[in-house]
Amino acid sequence: MREQLHDRGQEQDREGRGLLRIGLAEVYNPSMVPTLNPGDQLVVRYGAAVRAGDVVLLRHPFRQDLLIVKRAVERRDGGWWVMGDNPYVENDSREFGVVPDELVVARVWVRLRPLPGAGTGQRSVAGMLSWAVSAVRPVRAPRSGRSLLGRRGALSERSASRRLRAR
């Protein structure tokens, strides 16, 4: 993932002038599927407070020139435990540990989906309406009843009971 509009130095200059601190980033890998897909554009808010469950833009701990998008799962000593929403991609805290606060650059505010078939020029009315309904969505933390760590391996009690009722 790379940031599209401004680098951190320009962001700090804007902070000093009191301007609204918003940027644009693009998703390049599937680590956040199904929440975010490759090609999605993200509107991010620099310096916004981060809570558990928020999707954040951060500098990779081992390659700080690389910006990545992950979900802040919980606070731990020394920073944030972050994970992707895709259980098959492990490029997250399971690989690199806790992410220090200073590497968390921004909180994701809104997801913008790209227009389907952008280069073909062939779009149906139904396809355009479907895209328009789902193209712009705020990216929010999961509801409080859902376990953030329960998505991996061990199931949360609520989802396990739903599965049992469905059988």
Side-chain angles (χ1 to χ4, degrees):
M1 161 146 215
R2 67 183 163 96
E3 191 175 4
Q4 295 292 306
L5 289 185
H6 300 284
D7 67 9
R8 187 70 176 151
Q10 290 171 331
E11 159 50 30
Q12 288 171 341
D13 291 342
R14 289 188 297 164
E15 180 179 339
R17 289 179 275 174
L19 298 174
L20 188 59
R21 300 178 303 155
I22 293 179
L24 188 65
E26 183 174 349
V27 177
Y28 283 98
N29 69 38
S31 70
M32 287 297 292
V33 169
T35 306
L36 304 172
N37 294 314
D40 286 352
Q41 298 288 318
L42 305 175
V43 178
V44 298
R45 295 184 65 194
Y46 294 101
V50 176
R51 297 182 316 237
D54 286 344
V55 176
V56 294
L57 179 68
L58 56 115
R59 295 191 184 283
H60 193 287
F62 300 149
R63 288 189 50 206
Q64 294 185 12
D65 60 327
L66 178 67
L67 293 172
I68 58 176
V69 175
K70 301 293 174 196
R71 189 173 300 279
V73 177
E74 66 182 12
R75 282 294 277 158
R76 293 195 177 175
D77 287 338
W80 285 97
W81 187 262
V82 298
M83 295 179 82
D85 287 355
N86 185 342
Y88 302 109
V89 179
E90 292 188 6
N91 184 20
D92 53 28
S93 286
R94 293 173 290 174
E95 180 180 303
F96 48 72
V98 174
V99 176
D101 289 326
E102 58 270 11
L103 296 183
V104 177
V105 176
R107 187 177 75 208
V108 176
W109 187 32
V110 175
R111 176 212 70 207
L112 307 169
R113 287 260 154 91
L115 190 60
T120 64
Q122 298 176 355
R123 298 181 197 111
S124 68
V125 173
M128 290 299 293
L129 288 174
S130 174
W131 171 82
V133 168
S134 69
V136 178
R137 290 270 167 101
V139 179
R140 297 188 180 155
R143 292 191 305 272
S144 61
R146 190 171 149 199
S147 169
L148 291 171
L149 289 174
R151 292 186 310 222
R152 310 266 193 260
L155 298 171
S156 68
E157 291 178 28
R158 186 175 176 183
S159 66
S161 66
R162 271 194 197 142
R163 259 195 267 297
L164 291 174
R165 282 194 302 254
R167 289 185 178 185

